[in-house]
Amino acid sequence: MGTDLAVKRLVKFDGDGSLRAYCDLAIGDGFLVKGLRVVEGKRGLFVSMPRQQGKDHKWYDSVEALTTEAKAAVDRVVLDAYQQELSASRAPG
């Protein structure tokens, strides 16, 4: 994916639920996608796109990656930022 991706804000959660963090992701200098989530699933961590609840009470993604490569790039950038945040919070000092 040729566009620069950068996590602009990441809020980490400690607790019993599956939500580990949420973040905002900048796409180049032109877009900010708010509300991506880092979730602990049965197979490990994954990135969940922002979503909203429809009138039928089901949840629908409001942002979608159009290619597998784009989704992989988003996952890599967000999970790397999450791991860095974990390392920083565990560091002494």
Side-chain angles (χ1 to χ4, degrees):
M1 192 166 146
T3 304
D4 292 330
L5 300 174
V7 172
K8 291 297 182 182
R9 180 177 67 130
L10 187 131
V11 178
K12 188 172 61 72
F13 290 97
D14 298 317
D16 296 335
S18 60
L19 179 65
R20 297 293 176 243
Y22 69 87
C23 71
D24 299 338
L25 182 72
I27 303 172
D29 292 331
F31 290 94
L32 182 66
V33 179
K34 294 184 164 197
L36 285 87
R37 294 174 315 282
V38 176
V39 179
E40 181 75 44
K42 293 177 182 175
R43 297 181 182 164
L45 293 174
F46 68 93
V47 177
S48 177
M49 292 297 188
R51 60 186 184 162
Q52 53 192 1
Q53 194 171 25
K55 290 182 181 181
D56 60 1
H57 302 289
K58 293 181 184 177
W59 289 92
Y60 297 93
D61 286 348
S62 52
V63 175
E64 268 183 60
L66 297 179
T67 66
T68 319
E69 294 81 11
K71 176 64 171 135
V74 167
D75 290 352
R76 183 175 53 254
V77 168
V78 171
L79 293 176
D80 285 353
Y82 175 71
Q83 293 299 339
Q84 288 175 6
E85 182 69 24
L86 279 183
S87 296
S89 66
R90 290 181 182 152

